[in-house]
Amino acid sequence: MRSCEVLIVGGGPAGSSAAWKLRKAGTDVLVLDRERFPRLKLCAGWITPEVVRDLDMDVGAYPHRLLTFPRLRVHFGRLHLPIACVQHSIRRLEWDAWLLERSGAPVLEHNVRHIEREAEGYVIDGEFRCRYLIGAGGTRCPVYRELFREVNPRSSELQIVTLEHEIRYDWQDGDCHLWFFDHGLPGYSWYVPKERGWLNVGIGGIAARMKRGGHDIRAHFARLAALLGGGLTPGARYDPSGYSYYLRGRTDVVRRDNAFITGDAAGLATRDLGEGIGPAIRSGLRAARAILGGESYELDDVTGLSIGSIGRSLIGRLVHPGVSYGRPRGVAAGGGAAHGLRHSDQ
Ligand SMILES: Cc1cc2nc3c(=O)[nH]c(=O)nc-3n(C[C@H](O)[C@H](O)[C@H](O)COP(=O)(O)OP(=O)(O)OC[C@H]3O[C@@H](n4cnc5c(N)ncnc54)[C@H](O)[C@@H]3O)c2cc1C
């Protein structure tokens, strides 16, 4: 049986940021993930300046695709609003693998099924023993399922369904576009360009409201594809896939003894925009801090709304219009034309 001090189930943003903080303090950590990295994760890959800060990330040195949007373009029916704020996009396939490797933690490919509580900690599938256990396995996290579901049930009213596709596409518009409530959708659609010829488009909505309103997510996606085909993405072809996760509700119990849940396992995505990466990272860091410092595990500073971050960024741009927050021009990794609009281009 392999033993470690902290075992982390899941190597996504929640798990890798917990592993990073713990490893920096010299803790004996092991990450188990059922997939081999780099692995596909359905996600638009929009990240905020807070994420960059939390991870101490030097965007100039990041070796993969990272695009900085100088503005968001928000559409409500016939109302079209450009919002001058700084946000970024990455490709999850690249970024998650980079974060996990950067953590310095050993990673094993293992699909976790059973968790047993014992006097000094936990035994996983009869193969791994640990004192602390961090559940960072996303929506279907086995730590949530085995230790938390009963005491912390998820509300079906907070479940999000999505359809998305990330394609190679030589886009011309480097802004991020969001369409809210189009054709009555209880949610929004997105166009998120990535650096050097990649693009993510998708749609997400509250599952229960879509069901009650008789919405068909594939019909909504077809409308989005038609809209894009006539404007932003002529000639693009999409074959979208779906995934589901939960918005932040009452997360009453996120720690039981020495077991923690973080990120999507705890259902922490923001209520307004379904932003889950930032909350996953912040909660992973908080779980690590609780273990290192013997502190309580609090999610008070894990935001439940994205609007605050966008507002802060908007004010920052208005107050300091010349400051560059993105990757400086010309340092895109790996060669090729870096044709994304960056803050310094404006
Ligand atoms: C279509 C879509 C678009 C999105 N767009 C955005 C966006 O633009 N910005 C944003 O902030 N958020 C977005 N989100 C939400 C965001 O993707 C998630 O909130 C975020 O990935 C949560 O991170 P996590 O580390 O908790 O879980 P995950 O990223 O899901 O990582 C969980 C890991 O656990 C592993 N795992 C699962 N089960 C097991 C098991 N039994 N044993 C071992 N390993 C296991 C998985 O393989 C995976 O690697 C989007 C979500 C979707 C579905």
Side-chain angles (χ1 to χ4, degrees), residues 29-314:
V29 183
L30 176 65
V31 178
L32 301 180
D33 200 295
R34 66 180 174 195
E35 294 202 40
R36 185 190 298 266
F37 282 62
R39 57 94 173 88
L40 178 71
K41 166 70 183 95
L42 294 187
C43 181
W46 151 57
I47 58 169
T48 62
E50 282 82 357
V51 163
V52 168
R53 266 200 301 279
D54 278 358
L55 291 173
D56 245 339
M57 212 181 139
D58 174 356
V59 293
Y62 177 62
H64 304 291
R65 290 171 185 82
L66 184 145
L67 185 69
T68 300
F69 311 122
R71 67 183 80 78
L72 294 176
R73 291 193 180 273
V74 175
H75 310 276
F76 295 94
R78 292 185 181 179
L79 188 65
H80 307 288
L81 291 176
I83 302 180
C85 66
V86 174
Q87 307 283 308
H88 313 279
S89 72
I90 43 78
R91 294 196 68 215
R92 291 291 301 268
L93 183 88
E94 299 167 345
W95 195 63
D96 286 24
W98 178 80
L99 283 178
L100 190 54
E101 193 180 347
R102 186 184 78 145
S103 76
V107 181
L108 287 182
E109 201 180 326
H110 179 94
N111 185 6
V112 171
R113 294 171 199 282
H114 300 297
I115 297 162
E116 279 169 54
R117 180 85 176 99
E118 57 172 27
E120 289 301 306
Y122 303 87
V123 173
I124 314 298
D125 294 333
E127 290 182 48
F128 306 94
R129 173 171 278 133
C130 60
R131 180 152 172 238
Y132 294 97
L133 178 65
I134 298 183
T139 307
R140 295 184 194 92
C141 181
V143 179
Y144 170 77
R145 186 184 66 226
E146 304 259 303
L147 303 178
F148 289 86
R149 185 162 60 188
E150 230 174 284
V151 291
N152 208 14
R154 292 169 177 158
S155 159
S156 60
E157 291 297 321
L158 296 172
Q159 187 181 14
I160 294 287
V161 284
T162 63
L163 263 189
E164 67 109 271
H165 197 190
E166 189 152 303
I167 57 168
R168 266 188 191 283
Y169 189 77
D170 191 17
W171 47 261
Q172 301 302 311
D173 186 332
D175 290 346
C176 173
H177 289 254
L178 305 174
W179 292 265
F180 286 88
F181 316 127
D182 196 34
H183 289 82
L185 175 77
Y188 69 95
S189 327
W190 64 83
Y191 160 101
V192 179
K194 310 290 170 90
E195 194 174 53
R196 280 179 287 131
W198 282 85
L199 172 70
N200 189 293
V201 303
I203 192 158
I206 307 252
R209 283 200 228 155
M210 290 189 64
K211 196 168 172 194
R212 280 199 295 272
H215 292 276
D216 173 356
I217 193 165
R218 292 215 167 254
H220 277 286
F221 193 94
R223 268 194 292 269
L224 172 66
L227 173 82
L228 293 173
L232 288 166
T233 67
R237 290 191 175 278
Y238 303 104
D239 181 15
S241 309
Y243 189 76
S244 158
Y245 64 115
Y246 287 81
L247 301 181
R248 178 95 177 248
R250 289 183 56 184
T251 40
D252 292 335
V253 186
V254 286
R255 176 177 186 169
R256 293 187 83 184
D257 303 319
N258 284 344
F260 302 75
I261 44 171
T262 58
D264 277 3
L268 297 182
T270 59
R271 282 186 297 280
D272 49 357
L273 293 184
E275 173 204 347
I277 298 173
I281 288 166
R282 191 66 72 81
S283 59
L285 295 173
R286 291 293 165 265
R289 190 167 79 177
I291 291 170
L292 291 171
E295 298 169 24
S296 59
Y297 174 45
E298 304 289 347
L299 300 180
D300 301 359
D301 68 345
V302 178
T303 182
L305 294 171
S306 299
I307 194 79
S309 166
I310 293 173
R312 278 191 295 280
S313 181
L314 170 65

